[in-house]
Structure formats: C-alpha cells, structure tokens
Amino acid sequence: MTDEAMTGERVVPMRLQRFLARAGVASRRGSENLMTAGRVTVNGRVASELGTKVDPLVDEVAVDGVVVRLSEGFAYLMLNKPAGYLTTMSDPHGRPCVASLVPTERHPGLFPVGRLDADTTGLLLFTTNGDLAHRMLHPSTHVWKHYVALVRGIPTKRELAALAAGVTLDDGPTAPARVELLDARDATCRAVAPGRVPKGHAVVGISIHEGRKHQVKLMLDAVGHEVVRLHRDAFGPLVLGDVAEGEWRDLTPAERAELEALL
Ligand code: URA
C-alpha cells in the first residue's frame, strides 16, 4: 500500500520521477537522468519524457527491467532532543547520539534533517526522504526555525533591532530575522528557564531561515549576549508542542502533507 493510500491522501497520477524518488530508486534529479537515458519503462514501454505520469496502483514501472514498487512510504518523525546528544547517527568515539533516541530498527535509513548543537534542545526532524531533507535545507527554501534562548544580560531595543536587521558574522552578514524579548512569565520561557528566569538574564525568541553553524549563539554574541541555553520549538510548519524531552512522535498526515508541499 502506498503512504498516500494509508493516510487517505492518495495523489494520482504522479510524475514518474517523483514515483522513482519516492520508491528510493534515486534522487528526483537522478531519476530524471534514468528516464532520459531510456532506462525506465512504464507498462513495458520506454518512458523518457519528463512529463510522464503514472498511477502507482495500476502502472508497472521498471528500471533496467526490474519492477519498482512504492514502499510503505517515507518515515517522518520529530524528536525533542535533550542536551548532551550529538546530532549524528553514529559517533566513532561512542558519545551519546540522537540515533539511540529514535526507532532506527523500524525505519532503516532514518536521518536527522539539519542539526542542533550538542547542548541545544528541542525539535529535530527525522525522515527517510532524502529529497525532502535536501529541499528543506537548501537556502532557497527559506524554512523558518524558531528558537528560544536564555541569554546573559538584558538585550536593549537597539540590540534586538540590530539582530532583526542582520549582524555581521565571520562568514558574512546574517539575513533579516524575527526577534523578540519574551516576558519571563511567558510559558515559552520554561524550555530554557524551567524554574524562573535567573536575575540578570533574559529570554529571547528568534526566528531565522538560514542554517549556519552555531548561528543563533553567534548572532546573540555579536550583540553582546552570551547564550546560556538554547531550544528550538518550531521548524518550518512543525511545532514541537508537548513532546517530552528525549521522546519522539510520528508526524501527523497533515504535517507530512505540509512538508511534502515544500517539494
Ligand atoms: N543555532 C545555534 O547556535 N545552535 C543550534 O543548535 C542551532 C542554531
């Protein structure tokens, strides 16, 4: 059964290169190359036209004569990453990594989309869909990520405006961001200040659509405020909500559809 069929969102017909990518044959681009090379057949006829559409439940697709079927569909889940875990599926030094927190046996090929620093907590998306991950991480896609940061000192309006406009880091200026000082009583602050916000500290909410290394920490450093704790609570259309730290949940069909709409 296709994943669309399982979720009641069956989309037919679909473009052949999409079908091939979803079946795990190759990336979308690689699938197009297979098609133009004349290696793909639909119901026994060579399908080299990139506009070719297929119905996965009716048409027989083959690559080099081998029949290809859609698997049960891609896996998508979100983890609430705890501090102290590396965003990697294995570590040669045996340090704790996020792979131990997600169901890799049920979903071989699962990997994280992007990364969070070892001491950053919060929403980490996992999938087996390489095309989707590639697209979400591509700078042109502009996926907004929302972070909550506990910082030393209280940022001034001027500093917040500078962050929003873009600050200059070693590798160049940052794109405009959305920045706000959160009220210490705001429930959002609990992710980085579970008791109360310590004296002389503040909680900043910041959304960025770039994905440079340590970007949020470096941006706040650039305006004179060291990040003490950092948490991500939203990634594109996904919101972490009440997923407990160290726990994961499958995306809902609606969330999957929103992600796939980015492709
Ligand atoms: N920015 C950072 O500085 N660290 C993260 O983990 C994510 C964004």
Side-chain angles (χ1 to χ4, degrees):
M1 189 166 24
T2 67
D3 53 342
E4 291 95 344
M6 285 191 298
T7 60
E9 297 166 18
R10 192 162 167 265
V11 184
V12 287
M14 72 198 295
R15 281 184 300 140
L16 182 51
Q17 57 267 46
R18 182 162 196 238
F19 172 94
L20 292 169
R22 282 188 144 211
V25 169
S27 66
R28 190 81 71 90
R29 177 64 61 83
S31 300
E32 288 175 358
N33 292 341
L34 289 173
M35 290 168 65
T36 50
R39 293 171 59 188
V40 183
T41 54
V42 176
N43 303 324
R45 302 170 80 116
V46 172
S48 49
E49 281 277 318
L50 294 182
T52 305
K53 292 198 167 171
V54 289
D55 180 336
L57 295 186
V58 175
D59 295 316
E60 184 180 83
V61 177
V63 177
D64 294 336
V66 178
V67 174
V68 173
R69 291 199 176 81
L70 280 188
S71 65
E72 295 261 301
F74 292 114
Y76 301 92
L77 57 95
M78 65 166 82
L79 169 74
N80 184 351
K81 178 191 166 301
Y85 284 79
L86 298 176
T87 305
T88 174
M89 295 311 276
S90 69
D91 179 58
H93 305 294
R95 291 171 293 183
C97 45
V98 292
S100 64
L101 302 172
V102 291
T104 46
E105 271 166 30
R106 195 171 96 191
H107 302 300
L110 199 62
F111 65 93
V113 180
R115 84 185 33 235
L116 291 175
D117 295 338
D119 58 355
T120 301
T121 58
L123 199 167
L124 193 56
L125 171 67
F126 285 78
T127 185
T128 50
N129 184 343
D131 249 10
L132 178 115
H134 179 75
R135 185 67 209 268
M136 284 195 84
L137 297 176
H138 196 276
S140 67
T141 309
H142 284 206
V143 172
W144 285 90
K145 288 146 279 207
H146 185 261
Y147 295 87
V148 183
L150 176 69
V151 298
R152 247 184 256 292
I154 320 285
T156 61
K157 281 206 171 113
R158 213 186 162 117
E159 288 164 345
L160 295 173
L163 280 174
V167 290
T168 302
L169 304 180
D170 284 351
D171 56 353
T174 59
R178 300 174 192 147
V179 188
E180 60 176 335
L181 196 59
L182 296 175
D183 186 312
R185 290 163 299 186
D186 189 323
T188 317
C189 296
R190 282 193 216 124
V192 289
R196 61 183 181 81
V197 178
K199 212 168 176 345
H201 291 67
V203 180
V204 175
I206 178 164
S207 292
I208 58 171
H209 65 70
E210 297 171 293
R212 286 144 70 172
K213 216 171 173 192
H214 310 311
Q215 183 164 347
V216 173
K217 291 175 187 166
L218 293 173
M219 287 174 73
L220 281 151
D221 261 347
V223 295
H225 295 281
E226 187 197 342
V227 172
V228 180
R229 287 184 74 169
L230 186 61
H231 177 81
R232 180 160 74 189
D233 59 6
F235 185 65
L238 308 175
V239 176
L240 186 60
D242 58 6
V243 180
E245 207 166 277
E247 301 288 322
W248 61 269
R249 71 159 172 84
D250 285 315
L251 297 197
T252 64
E255 288 170 329
R256 292 167 57 123
E258 282 190 86
L259 286 190
E260 288 183 353
L262 295 171
L263 280 176

